[in-house]
Amino acid sequence: MNKNYYAVLMAGGVGSRFWPVSTSENPKQFHDMLGTGDTLIQKTFKRLNKFVPSENILILTNERYNELVLEQLPMVEQRQVVLEPAMRNTAPCILYAALKIQKENPNAVMIVAPSDHWIEDEDAFAKDVITCFAKCENEEVICTLGIKPTFPNTGFGYIEFEKESASELKKVNQFREKPNYETAKDFLAQGNFLWNAGIFMWSVNSIVNAFKEYQPEQFRLFEKGMAYYNTSEEQVFINENYPKAENISIDYAILEQSKSIYVLPATFDWNDLGTWGSLYDKLDKDKSNNAVVNCKVLCEDAQGNMIRSPKGKVVVVDGLNDYIIVDKEEVLLIYPKSKEQDIKKVLGKVKDTFGDQYA
């Protein structure tokens, strides 16, 4: 494997739309959401490890998930688990990881990838990333993978690229916010828009230089720690300084300002597994279009349901269509799929009514 290839696996999110399975103490990336035998973080690590040496994969997560990471990824050393002492969105943690990698290997190119995506053709994924790595090694650019839209989705941001470009990697015109339905339809009709999957590649020098140019205060804050990174004194510096960082996403901090961004239309199927409905879409269905994880199900007059319970449990469903049914220890959720975006609000009400132990 190429020793200059690095990966930063983003695993700090809470995934509240997957409540009650995903909780603040044990979020979705640490669960086997698909019933495959691997948790999402294990699946993502194996996918990256096909072309990135295991010792070059960093896991970016909140300090409360340190033990979960080490337990689920026993091949990982503590030095590879980069702990955020405070929630500060994606820009600060990416800069922090990039400076650590730059200190270890200034010739490194790196991918930043979320821990909770579903990608079926992992060989096509590896090929696409390596194509981007090759450009990043030779030019000071930022590369991203865009997903060809299959319908006018209003839940994703979009990437607009230069329409006349005949090259494999296309120059990005701009990143577009999540659109309304009519705007999303217009994007698809224009033909030069891709879904933003949040997967980025760059050389460590390129991304550090981008922070230096577009986020000078953020850069100065983290650059002060260069003497401490990859040493026993690193965590003390980070605990003191990380909370001072601006709470800002990599999209706003760098991507919307950079003039040297290229997108590769992905050659693999992709799903961001953001909701129970998106999980339902990717699971096998029975003859009544019910998707079942772990349990044994007897359905009568029940169609289009997402059903999950502890392994081996028998679940009987009669007269329910298009519902999310999730049984987890002390919580049972029976909720319309059409209202899945409101599960976050429901979680807030549960906390207010019954206490944080259920969240």
Side-chain angles (χ1 to χ4, degrees), residues 168-270:
E168 191 177 19
L169 275 149
K170 301 177 185 306
K171 187 88 161 56
V172 171
N173 282 340
Q174 59 181 322
F175 288 82
R176 303 289 286 266
E177 297 292 320
K178 295 174 184 175
N180 59 33
Y181 184 70
E182 289 305 316
T183 305
K185 281 200 326 191
D186 183 52
F187 285 172
L188 265 65
Q190 289 185 53
N192 61 321
F193 284 82
L194 301 165
W195 288 337
N196 182 2
I199 302 170
F200 307 107
M201 290 124 298
W202 40 56
S203 70
V204 287
N205 296 324
S206 292
I207 192 62
V208 168
N209 288 340
F211 270 96
K212 203 181 293 186
E213 181 175 355
Y214 302 118
Q215 297 292 319
E217 282 186 38
Q218 194 99 274
F219 171 75
R220 280 193 294 270
L221 175 67
F222 283 94
E223 201 259 346
K224 285 189 304 184
M226 283 303 277
Y228 307 115
Y229 296 149
N230 308 333
T231 75
S232 59
E233 298 172 77
E234 175 181 331
Q235 202 59 48
V236 173
F237 172 84
I238 285 298
N239 289 345
E240 182 184 337
N241 289 279
Y242 199 93
K244 299 173 187 173
E246 183 184 355
N247 189 336
I248 186 170
S249 72
I250 193 71
D251 302 64
Y252 286 120
I254 303 297
L255 303 179
E256 293 191 1
Q257 302 190 67
S258 174
K259 306 295 185 290
S260 302
I261 304 184
Y262 290 81
V263 62
L264 179 66
T267 60
F268 51 85
D269 287 336
W270 169 91

Side-chain angles (χ1 to χ4, degrees), residues 148-156 158 181 184-185 188 195 271 281:
K148 294 167 188 169
T150 51
F151 66 100
N153 194 317
T154 58
F156 297 145
Y158 284 70
Y181 184 70
K185 281 200 326 191
L188 265 65
W195 288 337
N271 190 300
D281 290 341

Side-chain angles (χ1 to χ4, degrees), residues 312-323:
K313 194 165 190 175
V314 172
V315 178
V316 181
V317 184
D318 192 336
L320 272 186
N321 296 323
D322 298 316
Y323 266 73

Side-chain angles (χ1 to χ4, degrees), residues 85-99:
M87 296 288 234
R88 287 294 180 272
N89 217 313
T90 51
C93 60
I94 287 172
L95 173 58
Y96 171 29
L99 288 168

Side-chain angles (χ1 to χ4, degrees), residues 268-315:
F268 51 85
D269 287 336
W270 169 91
N271 190 300
D272 78 332
L273 293 186
T275 63
W276 285 113
S278 62
L279 179 63
Y280 169 85
D281 290 341
K282 286 303 164 195
L283 291 168
D284 292 335
K285 319 289 191 296
D286 65 15
K287 63 186 180 196
S288 298
N289 272 331
N290 296 302
V292 177
V293 178
N294 293 337
C295 48
K296 301 170 183 174
V297 172
L298 180 62
C299 286
E300 297 286 339
D301 188 26
Q303 298 181 345
N305 298 298
M306 170 73 237
I307 306 168
R308 180 191 169 109
S309 84
K311 218 173 189 72
K313 194 165 190 175
V314 172
V315 178

Side-chain angles (χ1 to χ4, degrees), residues 27-164:
K28 66 175 178 177
Q29 58 267 31
F30 301 109
H31 291 277
D32 178 8
M33 300 302 297
L34 293 154
T36 63
D38 281 330
T39 64
L40 292 178
I41 194 171
Q42 289 170 333
K43 192 88 175 144
T44 305
F45 189 95
K46 287 178 181 176
R47 185 187 310 131
L48 294 167
N49 198 200
K50 288 189 169 192
F51 56 95
V52 178
S54 57
E55 66 272 17
N56 288 1
I57 301 176
L58 303 185
I59 294 85
L60 260 174
T61 192
N62 191 277
E63 57 186 8
R64 66 159 72 172
Y65 307 137
N66 185 52
E67 294 307 316
L68 276 171
V69 169
L70 294 173
E71 179 186 311
Q72 294 201 3
L73 301 173
M75 70 294 288
V76 162
E77 299 174 18
Q78 182 65 66
R79 67 167 187 84
Q80 294 170 253
V81 187
V82 182
L83 301 174
E84 304 168 81
M87 296 288 234
R88 287 294 180 272
N89 217 313
T90 51
C93 60
I94 287 172
L95 173 58
Y96 171 29
L99 288 168
K100 278 174 62 66
I101 294 169
Q102 186 185 47
K103 185 177 179 183
E104 180 176 299
N105 181 354
N107 297 316
V109 289
M110 58 187 272
I111 175 174
V112 174
S115 60
D116 53 3
H117 287 181
W118 176 93
I119 291 170
E120 187 165 329
D121 190 342
E122 297 190 340
D123 290 335
F125 170 77
K127 181 174 174 292
D128 285 355
V129 174
I130 290 168
T131 296
C132 292
F133 274 176
K135 188 170 183 71
C136 294
E137 283 176 316
N138 295 309
E139 301 174 46
E140 187 152 324
V141 295
I142 288 170
C143 289
T144 183
L145 298 178
I147 310 300
K148 294 167 188 169
T150 51
F151 66 100
N153 194 317
T154 58
F156 297 145
Y158 284 70
I159 301 167
E160 180 186 351
F161 61 86
E162 288 183 355
K163 205 167 192 175
E164 62 279 3

